[in-house]
Amino acid sequence: MKGKILMGSIIAIILIIFLISSVSAENNTDDETKVLTLSKGGLVINYPSDWGYSQATSNYSIMSISKLDSIDSAGIGQVNINFEKKPIEGDFYTFVNSTYKSMQYDASFKLISSGDSLIGDRQALEYIYTSNDKGIEREHKVVWFEKGGQAYALMYSAPIDKFEQNLYVFDYILSDIQIT
């Protein structure tokens, strides 16, 4: 009998702890990551709320998001995704490939991989490379596609030690992007 009472007490304590932790978790919804939407330049993206709109350093940028805890005092994200649109000069594949061909002569860039890709049902080109600017090594993943005589470049960039841990956000955006 004492064993049943002891077992019942243990189960009751476990249930109470579970209920208290459930209520506590429900009250902490402010810390939850939400999905936000950004639409600009013919693209609609969904991204996590721990990322935010940031300044881009490219003249062709249509929008840029950065991991909020990586934005510096100038408003530039050190872990960022930049969306660019450039007028195509000639053939799309020649235009894109020539961008990376010139990198082979610059020792601060190292091409890791390149190849065909898809964004939705659109043919795309993907490049992964590293760069070194003033001693800071960064890794980049860029996916290009063509629409209406424009070359769109979707670029994820991060310091090498932060690249892999944040890559899932870029991959999610690529899988979910809407091209209008």
Side-chain angles (χ1 to χ4, degrees), residues 82 84 86 96 99-100 103 111 113-115 117 119 124-129 139-145 152-157 163 167 170 174:
N82 193 35
E84 293 186 359
K86 299 178 181 182
V96 174
T99 300
Y100 296 95
M103 285 182 175
L111 184 62
S113 68
S114 64
S117 185
I119 295 183
L125 293 173
E126 177 181 291
Y127 289 83
I128 298 176
Y129 62 95
E139 191 164 349
H140 313 269
K141 180 177 179 180
V142 185
V143 179
W144 294 78
F145 69 91
Y152 285 76
L154 315 177
M155 300 179 287
Y156 166 60
S157 180
F163 185 83
L167 181 59
F170 185 62
L174 289 177

Side-chain angles (χ1 to χ4, degrees), residues 1-19:
M1 184 73 164
K2 285 185 176 181
K4 287 184 179 179
I5 293 174
L6 181 61
M7 183 59 87
S9 298
I10 292 172
I11 291 172
I13 290 171
I14 291 171
L15 285 173
I16 290 170
I17 291 171
F18 176 75
L19 289 172

Side-chain angles (χ1 to χ4, degrees), residues 90-158:
D91 173 68
F92 172 71
Y93 290 95
T94 303
F95 175 75
V96 174
N97 288 323
S98 68
T99 300
Y100 296 95
K101 190 146 188 86
S102 64
M103 285 182 175
Q104 71 185 1
Y105 304 109
D106 187 340
S108 64
F109 290 94
K110 179 182 174 192
L111 184 62
I112 295 171
S113 68
S114 64
D116 293 329
S117 185
L118 284 174
I119 295 183
D121 61 350
R122 292 181 185 268
Q123 291 294 323
L125 293 173
E126 177 181 291
Y127 289 83
I128 298 176
Y129 62 95
T130 60
S131 67
N132 188 324
D133 184 27
K134 298 175 187 160
I136 299 172
E137 282 195 83
R138 301 178 62 80
E139 191 164 349
H140 313 269
K141 180 177 179 180
V142 185
V143 179
W144 294 78
F145 69 91
E146 179 183 11
K147 179 188 168 221
Q150 301 283 315
Y152 285 76
L154 315 177
M155 300 179 287
Y156 166 60
S157 180

